[in-house]
Amino acid sequence: MKYSLICTDIDGTLLDQNKVLLPQVKEALKKEADKGVKIALVSGRMPAGVELIEQELGISCVKVCHAGSYILLGDQRISNKYLPAETLEKVYNTIAKAHGLQLWIFCEETWYVTGIDKFIEKEIVDIKQQPIVVDIKDLVEQWKKEGKGPNKILLAADPEEIRIMYQEIENYNWPEIDYACSADTFIELLPKGINKGEAVCEICDRLGIKREEVVAFGDHELDIPLLEVAGIGIAMENAIPELKEKADYVTKTNNEGGIAYALENYLAK
């Protein structure tokens, strides 16, 4: 097939389990970029975390951040969508506070938290960014005045607690929220209708690329809409079963350079 855009999730897909970009993956994507294929990093990460990987790749990429609610084309911001500020307080009081958890809050280039825990400490190391500790009420009042809100809210916990909270969010059925897991320890809450698939459609419209010319790689629930809109959707071997069912092809794991393997063996044919 002819493809013009490669879209890849970062954690669990592009990077191995130690958050390392393997040399064969970097080289394979560089070869595609040299042929004129556009590369999009489509991630739940904040912009600084995505830019870190762009720099390591050494390729100018489209950057889909906050799981689709914040998109950068080069240095130009082409999409910026918020949850209502009031939703932040609601999620904090009914879910995070009830479970004794810290809330992660993302707005544009900034990462806020309600406190520091082991999950936040790990993220600080992974993306080399320090969050700002805030009072929820103060932040909500500030954003109401500014007409802003979070691009994304994240809950981090051990897998069993994540499953419980996922069900609670499902039961609340909040009309302004879409949600999905990006790992077995993360639930990401987004503005209604925002997901990685919609973000890729927006990029295709901007760049004049047909959806059937898109190749997408992913590993978790957050990547399901991404694979659904792509001409070719490729799941990593380490992906959840639900994503593999949506995929046209299952490549090797992220630890085995699965993206490089697919580009050199499957797509080359």
Side-chain angles (χ1 to χ4, degrees), residues 24-35:
Q24 65 267 39
V25 175
K26 179 177 178 178
E27 184 59 30
L29 286 174
K30 189 174 188 313
K31 283 180 183 177
E32 297 298 328
D34 289 344
K35 290 189 281 187

Side-chain angles (χ1 to χ4, degrees), residues 181-225:
C181 288
S182 56
D184 61 1
T185 53
F186 291 155
I187 303 174
E188 311 212 3
L189 291 81
L190 299 159
K192 192 71 175 178
I194 297 301
N195 57 58
K196 290 184 176 185
E198 289 300 314
V200 170
C201 290
E202 189 167 350
I203 292 165
C204 287
D205 290 342
R206 287 272 184 163
L207 298 178
I209 293 172
K210 297 175 182 176
R211 278 172 45 182
E212 53 264 34
E213 295 176 356
V214 176
V215 176
F217 293 90
D219 76 303
H220 221 284
E221 183 186 15
L222 204 63
D223 302 316
I224 289 175

Side-chain angles (χ1 to χ4, degrees), residues 131-145:
I132 300 169
V133 179
V134 293
D135 177 86
I136 287 288
K137 286 187 177 179
D138 291 345
L139 188 61
V140 168
E141 287 307 310
Q142 177 188 329
W143 279 348
K144 282 181 181 176
K145 291 174 186 174

Side-chain angles (χ1 to χ4, degrees), residues 95 164-174 179:
I95 305 290
I164 294 168
M165 290 191 293
Y166 193 102
Q167 187 61 57
E168 289 175 359
I169 294 167
E170 195 169 73
N171 292 341
Y172 279 119
N173 195 27
W174 289 315
Y179 57 94

Side-chain angles (χ1 to χ4, degrees), residues 2-266:
K2 175 184 180 288
Y3 54 93
S4 305
L5 175 65
I6 295 172
C7 299
T8 178
D9 170 52
I10 293 178
D11 299 290
T13 303
L14 180 67
L15 306 183
D16 72 7
Q17 65 182 11
N18 297 315
K19 309 292 184 183
V20 172
L21 176 63
L22 298 177
Q24 65 267 39
V25 175
K26 179 177 178 178
E27 184 59 30
L29 286 174
K30 189 174 188 313
K31 283 180 183 177
E32 297 298 328
D34 289 344
K35 290 189 281 187
V37 176
K38 300 287 186 186
I39 310 295
L41 301 175
V42 187
S43 176
R45 288 186 175 205
M46 64 184 291
V50 179
E51 287 163 3
L52 199 67
I53 305 305
E54 180 187 44
Q55 290 166 10
E56 194 171 353
L57 278 169
I59 299 167
S60 179
C61 301
V62 182
K63 295 174 285 292
V64 177
C65 312
H66 304 319
S69 60
Y70 193 82
I71 306 174
L72 295 165
L73 191 55
D75 294 327
Q76 180 189 4
R77 184 175 67 191
I78 64 170
S79 185
N80 183 24
K81 298 181 175 71
Y82 301 127
L83 281 160
E86 297 85 352
T87 299
L88 177 57
E89 203 163 17
K90 181 166 63 179
V91 172
Y92 178 67
N93 288 327
T94 58
I95 305 290
K97 204 170 177 182
H99 287 267
L101 299 174
Q102 305 303 335
L103 201 60
W104 304 28
I105 308 143
F106 297 91
C107 182
E108 300 172 3
E109 309 283 336
T110 308
W111 175 24
Y112 304 94
V113 295
T114 55
I116 303 294
D117 61 17
K118 65 179 182 179
F119 297 99
I120 291 164
E121 287 174 347
K122 182 178 184 305
E123 187 74 2
I124 289 169
V125 173
D126 287 344
I127 70 168
K128 299 177 175 58
Q129 289 292 310
Q130 193 73 34
I132 300 169
V133 179
V134 293
D135 177 86
I136 287 288
K137 286 187 177 179
D138 291 345
L139 188 61
V140 168
E141 287 307 310
Q142 177 188 329
W143 279 348
K144 282 181 181 176
K145 291 174 186 174
E146 296 172 352
K148 293 171 68 172
N151 294 114
K152 187 184 80 171
I153 302 168
L154 187 144
L155 292 154
D158 294 325
E160 181 55 38
E161 193 155 24
I162 287 291
R163 286 190 286 272
I164 294 168
M165 290 191 293
Y166 193 102
Q167 187 61 57
E168 289 175 359
I169 294 167
E170 195 169 73
N171 292 341
Y172 279 119
N173 195 27
W174 289 315
E176 75 277 24
I177 288 176
D178 273 338
Y179 57 94
C181 288
S182 56
D184 61 1
T185 53
F186 291 155
I187 303 174
E188 311 212 3
L189 291 81
L190 299 159
K192 192 71 175 178
I194 297 301
N195 57 58
K196 290 184 176 185
E198 289 300 314
V200 170
C201 290
E202 189 167 350
I203 292 165
C204 287
D205 290 342
R206 287 272 184 163
L207 298 178
I209 293 172
K210 297 175 182 176
R211 278 172 45 182
E212 53 264 34
E213 295 176 356
V214 176
V215 176
F217 293 90
D219 76 303
H220 221 284
E221 183 186 15
L222 204 63
D223 302 316
I224 289 175
L226 173 61
L227 266 65
E228 286 178 332
V229 304
I232 292 286
I234 302 175
M236 312 304 288
E237 177 56 44
N238 53 286
I240 60 171
E242 295 86 346
L243 188 73
K244 289 180 179 179
E245 289 174 9
K246 300 284 185 181
D248 298 294
Y249 178 66
V250 178
T251 187
K252 292 184 176 183
T253 68
N254 59 326
N255 291 333
E256 299 170 295
I259 288 179
Y261 182 84
L263 291 173
E264 293 163 3
N265 293 274
Y266 181 64

